[in-house]
Amino acid sequence: MLGQTDLTTIIAIIISIVISLTIHEFMHAYVGHKLGDTTASEAGRVSLNPLQHIDPFTTVILPIITVVLFGVPILAAKPVPFNPASVKFDDFGSAMIAAAGPLSNLGLAIIGSLLLHLATGAVLVEFLRTFTILNVAVFVFNLVPIPPLDGSRVLYAFAPDPVRQLFDTIEPFGIIIVFALVLMGGFGNVLGNIDQSVLNLLP
């Protein structure tokens, strides 16, 4: 997906991931704080300091390995804690918190795409290209409706009770299921095709 994986590209991937995941998790925490839940704030997560959000393995090492081997970044930051009982608007407030993360990545992708049209110099162009592609990938991947990904949190707010019960049952194993599906090609070309469709729509 990202083409060649030389040292410049790998550095661009690392920087892009740190920025993208920091903003993603910050927005989860910020929206939760605005909706009345102080859990993330008390944990120091309403912060633009990457060290508050990144996990050395799941945020940095794992996506590099999976990009090189499979062409798809599999990554995760430290989950932002929140207390649903403290959030305004009940499940809909929780859905807003969940949606804030991937929507921030879509916003970053749009910014990256706009700057790419203005950029000069091979290094800057490569970085902005990588930054844009990765943010689209994070946006799309997080909308997969399998717990604990953000898409499942959004869907949960509107789902009937049987679907909610299913989500509650599989959530402890959800991230393992997602990783296994990606590594075994369980999504086929679906995510890649959606990524490309979103990229085609960017300015």
Side-chain angles (χ1 to χ4, degrees):
M1 182 184 69
L2 290 170
Q4 61 180 1
T5 51
D6 56 20
L7 181 59
T8 301
T9 303
I10 290 174
I11 293 173
I13 291 171
I14 293 173
I15 295 173
S16 297
I17 287 171
V18 170
I19 295 173
S20 304
L21 269 294
T22 297
I23 298 298
H24 180 108
E25 300 302 330
F26 166 78
M27 287 303 298
H28 280 318
Y30 178 77
V31 172
H33 181 74
K34 286 296 185 180
L35 289 177
D37 179 25
T38 61
T39 308
S41 177
E42 291 168 357
R45 301 300 298 277
V46 186
S47 171
L48 291 174
N49 179 358
L51 297 179
Q52 296 291 335
H53 305 292
I54 65 174
D55 177 272
F57 179 74
T58 61
T59 310
V60 179
I61 298 174
L62 181 64
I64 292 173
I65 292 173
T66 56
V67 164
V68 172
L69 295 180
F70 306 104
V72 177
I74 301 176
L75 64 157
K78 292 187 291 186
V80 171
F82 83 104
N83 180 4
S86 300
V87 176
K88 296 177 183 177
F89 313 123
D90 300 318
D91 289 334
F92 297 103
S94 297
M96 292 168 66
I97 295 172
L103 287 177
S104 72
N105 294 114
L106 179 60
L108 290 173
I110 293 171
I111 292 171
S113 179
L114 290 171
L115 292 176
L116 190 56
H117 292 299
L118 305 174
T120 58
V123 173
L124 181 57
V125 168
E126 175 65 17
F127 170 74
L128 289 172
R129 176 177 171 274
T130 300
F131 181 81
T132 301
I133 291 173
L134 272 171
N135 271 285
V136 168
V138 173
F139 165 68
V140 172
F141 183 74
N142 273 278
L143 291 181
V144 172
I146 299 177
L149 297 179
D150 296 324
S152 71
R153 307 289 191 196
V154 176
L155 181 59
Y156 192 94
F158 305 94
D161 287 340
V163 175
R164 291 187 175 202
Q165 292 170 4
L166 175 62
F167 282 0
D168 291 339
T169 300
I170 68 174
E171 180 159 3
F173 318 101
I175 201 65
I176 298 174
I177 294 171
V178 171
F179 283 3
L181 283 171
V182 172
L183 293 177
M184 293 187 299
F187 291 111
N189 294 322
V190 173
L191 294 184
N193 290 338
I194 296 174
D195 288 352
Q196 190 58 56
S197 296
V198 175
L199 286 168
N200 291 341
L201 292 173
L202 294 181

